[in-house]
């Protein structure tokens, strides 16, 4: 699981991740995630830890040993000490009295754009000049409008602010024009860090330039090159403007243009199908960053009309030198991060972009907001001339939900990602994640998919059960849960690292996909068929089912529970299934209406006699300070009447406490008939998975859902990423080792 360099699949073998990509002539040294910092740890003393706090835009200070981030929810900027990047420490917050939208740093001073708008038609804001050594706000410089992005020129001479004066999205369906118009504001920076024209901001008008609503430019993002030329994105106007800050003059402007895409998913229908085509998609770029003085890169998030689901490289003259096409969508699909619920609306949604130099290489980072992923690319143009090229290097899971800001610290080999979503009640917190080049750390892309017959990656996610091929130790099988509308069985080749999903078969009945299933468990039979457990849900009229599925994917038999059991069920039902000596063993996640508190069921069914039996399994008590519940996720046959039981709580991140494998010996246990008092099993702790989950250096996953014993005696476990829906989206595939070594009684 750990390495100093990434497995070949993430570098030289990158073509399987981005079809058609050209691998670098020399592999870029990879990045490992070294830490993740939940920003609620920076809350002032005495503040409720569940208070919303959001890391949106992040930058670096103090020679790269400190991070500074905006927190709009708290109306503050926060500081994080990263002298040791593997052990970030809270360094406090500075209250601003308004909503910070962006921040830039020069020397010991931070410059935060602060939104103080009274309304959409009366926008207002200022730049707060903050001494980072004393935390004192030295000045507030009126911007005469609502700020968005803030940037400092490389030579420290200028501060530029994109004044968006954003539109009311509830007015006229959000369509512009909606005045007042935005503009670019700029200041000259004095040697002491003050803004020389604080009392008289320089305004560069941007009206009359764009083809779309020229009277209402809405500047979104700004970046400055070494010539003190600022490139400004007008996202809603689908336009790009270059301003000479010294002359306060527009020196060039041009449309961002449009893109035709094929091999994408454009329909929210509960299945990932990269077969659609869309034409004339306006790029509508959000973030922008100069690659050098002659080229810049845009993240084409889109707004109300567009979004080309990728990123582009432009020359300062307006030529498109490179466009990623469907590559970022395919990347997200291959690594299990594709957000299917966003298929009909901008897909993985590239929003952030950053450029940095690492070991002499110019690298580009593209943040996919809805996929919780950052794509890392090497600027290959120097090897191919002006035609432009971006070589895929690595996929970096963002470690949280909704990556918004990215900053590089090239001299320390660091990439920093800020994730803005924060919802304590849903076990998600805003985080800042750090990657370091060449550091030791876990491989984070632990399962990928190969391309299917349509030439696109096999779409996958929400893996909720795991089983082994009875004879081939390299092959496992997994199922996805009800997040997807089409139930599938995935074939996983574990001989490679990362493991590869090499096939997917649809569970069919009478030639059509079976509807209203929630597959949570899978077991393999000696003849190559499968037994699948579908969790019932009373409110969704979903019955508890065991399906016997032929190798073709066709359902051969549906097995229902006896009425005395089915009538007592709750929504937390069948979670795992195992097959041993022609008998099924089924794990029920939590107590049903007929169970005493703390006891859930292990059901048995003799396939020869169709006889059901019931046993009680004692659940651990919740240990998290957050409370929550504890339940079962999986049951796996170990042979000779012994079983491994996967037990977990529903807590994530800092609150995660119970992610355990227990053993039970059922060889001498006689199950009770349904409706009678079941025997209570004795369990023995075999393995604690929490340290391995925490070793990923991210937001600790709550859903360890699958456990399998391969034909060679090795154990594997997998986490459920919830289809990247209000979840960081990572799938951890844990190679636990030989069962006879790791399942020793604890």
């Amino acid at each position: 699981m750990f390495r100093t360099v990434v497995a070949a699949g993430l570098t030289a073998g990158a073509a399987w991740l981005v079809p058609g990509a050209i691998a670098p002539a020399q592999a870029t040294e990879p990045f490992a995630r070294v830490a993740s910092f939940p920003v609620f740890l920076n809350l002032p003393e005495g503040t409720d830890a569940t208070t919303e706090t959001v890391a949106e835009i992040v930058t670096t200070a103090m020679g790269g040993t400190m991070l500074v981030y905006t927190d709009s929810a708290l109306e503050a900027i926060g500081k994080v000490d990263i002298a040791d990047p593997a052990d970030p420490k809270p360094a406090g917050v500075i209250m601003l009295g308004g909503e910070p939208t962006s921040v830039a740093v020069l020397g010991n001073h931070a410059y935060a754009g602060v939104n103080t708008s009274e309304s959409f038609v009366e926008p207002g804001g200022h730049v707060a000049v903050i001494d980072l050594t004393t935390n004192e706000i030295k000045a507030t410089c009126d911007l005469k409008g609502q700020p968005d992005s803030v940037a400092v020129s490389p030579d420290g001479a200028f501060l530029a602010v994109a004044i968006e004066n954003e539109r009311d999205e509830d007015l006229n369906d959000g369509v512009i024009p909606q005045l007042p118009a935005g503009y670019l504001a700029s200041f000259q920076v004095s040697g002491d860090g003050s803004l020389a024209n604080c009392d008289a901001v320089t305004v560069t008008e941007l009206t009359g330039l764009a083809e779309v609503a020229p009277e209402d430019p809405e500047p979104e993002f700004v970046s400055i090159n070494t010539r003190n030329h600022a490139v400004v994105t007008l996202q809603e106007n689908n336009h790009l403007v270059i301003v000479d800050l010294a002359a306060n003059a527009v020196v060039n402007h041009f449309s961002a243009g449009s893109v035709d895409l094929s091999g994408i998913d454009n329909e929210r229908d509960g299945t990932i199908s990269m077969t659609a085509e869309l034409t004339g998609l306006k790029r509508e770029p959000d973030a922008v960053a100069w690659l050098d003085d002659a080229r810049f890169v845009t993240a084409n998030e889109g707004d109300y009309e567009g979004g080309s689901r990728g990123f582009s490289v432009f020359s300062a003259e307006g030529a498109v030198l490179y466009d990623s096409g469907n590559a970022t969508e395919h990347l997200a699909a291959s690594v299990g991060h594709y957000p299917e619920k966003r298929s009909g609306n901008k897909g993985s949604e590239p929003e952030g972009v950053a450029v940095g130099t690492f070991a002499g290489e110019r690298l580009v980072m593209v943040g996919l907001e809805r996929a919780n992923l950052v794509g890392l690319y090497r600027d290959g143009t120097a090897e191919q001339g002006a035609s432009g090229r971006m070589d895929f290097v690595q996929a970096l899971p963002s470690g949280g939900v909704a990556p918004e800001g990215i900053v590089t610290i090239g001299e320390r080999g660091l990439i920093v990602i800020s994730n803005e979503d924060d919802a304590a009640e849903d076990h998600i917190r805003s985080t800042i994640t750090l990657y370091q080049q060449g550091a030791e750390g876990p491989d984070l892309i632990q399962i990928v998919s190969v391309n299917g017959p349509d030439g696109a990656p096999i779409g996958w996610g929400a893996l909720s059960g795991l089983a082994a091929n009875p004879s081939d130790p390299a092959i496992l099988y997994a199922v996805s849960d009800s997040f997807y509308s089409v139930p599938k069985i995935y074939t996983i080749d574990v001989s490679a690292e990362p493991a590869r999903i090499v096939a997917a078969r649809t569970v069919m009945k009478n030639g059509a996909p079976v509807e209203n299933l929630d597959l949570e468990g899978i077991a393999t039979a000696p003849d190559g068929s499968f037994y699948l457990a579908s969790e019932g849900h009373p409110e969704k009229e979903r019955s508890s089912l065991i399906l016997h599925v032929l190798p073709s994917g066709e359902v051969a038999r549906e097995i229902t529970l006896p009425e005395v059991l089915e009538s007592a069920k709750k929504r937390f039902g069948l979670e795992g299934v195992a097959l041993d000596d022609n008998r099924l063993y089924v794990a029920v996640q939590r107590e049903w209406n007929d169970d005493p508190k703390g006891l859930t069921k292990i059901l048995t069914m003799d396939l020869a006699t169709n006889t059901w039996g019931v046993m009680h399994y004692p659940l651990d008590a919740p240990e998290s300070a957050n409370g929550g519940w504890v339940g079962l996720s999986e049951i796996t046959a170990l042979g000779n009447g012994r079983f491994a039981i996967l037990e977990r709580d529903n807590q994530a991140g800092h609150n995660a406490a119970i992610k355990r494998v227990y053993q039970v010996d059922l060889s001498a246990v006689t199950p009770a008939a349904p409706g009678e008092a079941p025997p209570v099993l004795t369990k023995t702790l075999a393995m604690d998975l929490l340290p391995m989950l925490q070793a990923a250096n991210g937001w600790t996953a709550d859903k360890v859902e699958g456990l399998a014993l391969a034909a060679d005696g090795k154990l594997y476990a997998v986490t459920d990423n919830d289809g990247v829906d209000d979840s960081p989206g990572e799938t951890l595939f844990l190679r636990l080792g030989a069962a006879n070594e790791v399942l020793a009684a604890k």
Side-chain angles (χ1 to χ4, degrees):
M1 180 181 177
F2 293 87
R3 54 92 171 107
T4 301
V5 294
V6 164
L10 292 183
T11 52
W16 56 260
L17 279 178
V18 184
I22 303 174
Q26 294 181 340
T28 299
E29 187 174 18
F31 291 75
R33 190 165 66 198
V34 294
S36 183
F37 178 81
V39 296
F40 77 85
L41 297 179
N42 225 359
L43 284 167
E45 186 176 356
T47 306
D48 185 344
T50 64
T51 299
E52 183 182 14
T53 179
V54 174
E56 187 173 3
I57 301 300
V58 64
T59 191
T60 179
M62 306 298 181
T65 63
M66 179 179 288
L67 299 176
V68 179
Y69 65 91
T70 62
D71 187 337
S72 59
L74 203 62
E75 295 193 345
I77 62 169
K79 302 195 298 184
V80 182
D81 179 354
I82 58 165
D84 179 359
D87 185 24
K89 299 182 183 301
V93 296
I94 303 167
M95 306 305 293
L96 299 178
E99 177 192 2
T101 58
S102 184
V103 65
V105 169
L106 178 63
N108 292 333
H109 289 85
Y111 307 90
V114 181
N115 179 18
T116 59
S117 299
E118 295 290 332
S119 66
F120 290 106
V121 296
E122 295 181 281
H126 62 261
V127 170
V129 182
I130 305 153
D131 187 325
L132 292 174
T133 58
T134 65
N135 292 345
E136 180 185 358
I137 298 176
K138 306 290 289 187
T140 58
C141 305
D142 188 13
L143 291 166
K144 305 185 187 305
Q146 173 253 315
D148 200 334
S149 170
V150 176
V152 173
S153 62
D155 64 3
F158 291 96
L159 177 77
V161 186
I163 304 300
E164 184 177 11
N165 290 345
E166 64 185 355
R167 72 192 191 278
D168 182 351
E169 296 189 20
D170 294 326
L171 177 65
N172 194 29
D173 294 327
V175 176
I176 58 175
Q178 290 186 25
L179 300 180
Y183 48 87
L184 183 69
S186 61
F187 298 90
Q188 296 179 19
V189 183
S190 301
D192 61 359
S194 64
L195 302 184
N197 54 327
C198 181
D199 294 329
V201 58
T202 299
V203 172
T204 305
E205 298 291 351
L206 304 176
T207 55
L209 303 179
E211 297 173 1
V212 177
E215 69 272 38
D216 183 24
E218 289 198 15
E220 188 77 26
F221 213 94
V222 60
S223 176
I224 308 172
N225 66 13
T226 63
R227 298 176 61 193
N228 287 328
H229 283 188
V231 58
V232 185
T233 60
L234 310 184
Q235 184 173 9
E236 289 80 1
N237 310 84
N238 195 39
H239 211 74
L240 296 155
V241 181
I242 298 177
V243 175
D244 184 332
L245 294 174
N248 185 26
V250 173
V251 295
N252 200 10
H253 68 92
F254 41 87
S255 170
S258 62
V259 175
D260 295 338
L261 290 181
S262 61
I264 63 168
D265 189 349
N266 74 332
E267 185 177 355
R268 175 179 171 174
D269 57 3
T271 184
I272 301 173
S273 177
M274 297 278 173
T275 58
E277 296 183 4
L278 291 174
T279 60
L281 286 174
K282 293 178 181 177
R283 288 189 172 92
E284 293 185 345
D286 187 339
V288 62
W290 287 98
L291 274 166
D292 50 40
D293 283 348
R295 301 172 300 144
F296 57 84
V297 59
T298 62
N300 304 324
E301 178 195 24
D303 203 276
Y304 64 93
E305 285 191 359
S308 62
R309 307 185 184 213
F311 66 100
S312 304
V313 177
F314 290 86
S315 73
E317 288 73 36
V320 178
L321 304 178
Y322 171 85
D323 192 273
S324 64
N326 63 17
T328 54
E329 295 290 271
H330 284 200
L331 172 63
S334 177
V335 301
H337 276 251
Y338 182 75
E340 202 288 320
K341 285 188 175 181
R342 300 293 299 180
S343 291
N345 186 15
K346 300 182 288 185
S348 56
E349 205 163 311
E351 181 171 18
V353 68
V355 174
T357 301
F358 295 85
E361 289 187 322
R362 200 69 165 158
L363 301 182
V364 174
M365 288 123 274
V366 181
L368 307 180
E369 182 184 16
R370 302 294 180 171
N372 305 329
L373 193 69
V374 172
L376 181 62
Y377 299 84
R378 184 167 71 91
D379 177 14
T381 298
E383 300 172 12
Q384 192 162 314
S387 61
R389 193 178 87 196
M390 287 287 130
D391 297 328
F392 173 75
V393 173
Q394 192 177 351
L396 308 177
S398 72
V401 178
E404 180 77 15
I406 309 171
V407 69
T408 66
I409 311 174
E411 62 273 19
R412 300 189 69 195
L414 293 173
I415 296 173
V416 181
I417 305 163
S418 55
N419 300 277
E420 67 175 338
D421 271 16
D422 188 88
E425 68 278 10
D426 295 327
H427 314 298
I428 291 296
R429 302 311 304 261
S430 175
T431 61
I432 294 175
T433 301
L434 293 89
Y435 281 86
Q436 188 165 34
Q437 191 171 38
E440 183 175 345
D443 287 323
L444 288 179
I445 301 300
Q446 297 177 355
I447 304 184
V448 301
S449 65
V450 302
N451 287 352
D454 59 4
I458 297 169
W460 64 277
L463 302 184
S464 56
L466 201 62
N469 183 290
S471 58
D472 187 343
I475 298 299
L476 300 182
Y477 304 100
V479 289
S480 54
D481 64 24
S482 61
F483 180 83
Y484 299 104
S485 61
V486 176
K488 291 187 177 181
I489 301 171
Y490 299 99
T491 303
I492 305 173
D493 177 3
V494 301
S495 65
E497 291 192 41
R500 302 190 183 192
I501 293 176
V502 296
R505 71 194 86 188
T506 300
V507 179
M508 310 281 284
K509 184 177 180 181
N510 299 324
V514 182
E515 297 181 351
N516 201 24
L517 293 183
D518 185 9
L519 299 182
E520 296 286 350
I522 179 173
T524 53
D527 63 359
S529 63
F530 305 93
Y531 287 91
L532 310 181
S534 178
E535 184 175 18
H537 197 310
E539 297 175 6
K540 296 184 179 180
E541 298 182 350
R542 181 186 297 139
S543 298
S544 305
L545 284 176
I546 303 294
L547 303 176
H548 185 207
V549 178
L550 302 177
S552 64
E554 187 73 16
V555 174
R557 180 186 179 190
E558 294 184 357
I559 303 171
T560 58
L561 300 185
E563 177 58 26
V564 66
L565 295 176
E566 182 72 9
S567 62
K569 76 178 180 184
K570 291 184 178 179
R571 57 165 293 198
F572 299 99
L574 310 189
E575 279 287 317
V577 61
L579 178 65
D580 187 52
D581 194 24
N582 208 38
R583 183 185 293 269
L584 293 176
Y585 294 80
V586 184
V588 176
Q589 186 174 65
R590 293 172 59 189
E591 305 97 327
W592 282 357
N593 289 321
D594 58 345
D595 294 317
K597 183 175 177 56
L599 295 176
T600 189
K601 295 182 177 72
I602 301 292
L603 306 176
T604 70
M605 183 199 175
D606 189 315
L607 291 170
T609 64
N610 295 330
T611 303
W612 286 88
V614 183
M615 298 168 283
H616 264 150
Y617 178 95
L619 294 168
D620 287 353
E623 295 179 9
S624 167
N626 217 34
W629 52 258
V630 176
L632 306 186
S633 282
E634 180 72 286
I635 182 168
T636 302
L638 302 175
N640 300 319
R642 295 180 305 118
F643 293 82
I645 308 290
L646 193 53
E647 190 171 347
R648 68 171 180 89
D649 59 16
N650 68 331
Q651 303 296 298
H654 278 49
N655 292 318
I658 297 174
K659 318 292 177 187
R660 298 167 183 162
V661 179
Y662 284 94
Q663 282 195 71
V664 293
D665 187 346
L666 305 183
S667 60
V669 177
T670 301
E676 297 181 357
V680 178
L681 302 176
T682 299
K683 66 181 186 180
T684 304
L685 180 63
M687 192 176 191
D688 186 355
L689 300 181
L690 186 59
M692 188 173 284
L693 298 174
Q694 293 173 330
N697 294 329
W699 187 248
T700 304
D702 62 329
K703 292 186 176 181
V704 191
E705 291 279 311
L707 183 71
L709 177 64
D712 59 358
K714 293 181 180 178
L715 272 176
Y716 299 87
V718 71
T719 62
D720 177 354
N721 74 349
D722 283 328
V724 207
D725 186 33
D726 294 327
S727 161
E730 296 176 33
T731 297
L732 298 182
F733 184 72
L734 308 180
R735 298 171 184 263
L736 303 179
N740 60 355
E741 296 176 3
V742 301
L743 291 185
K746 304 295 182 185

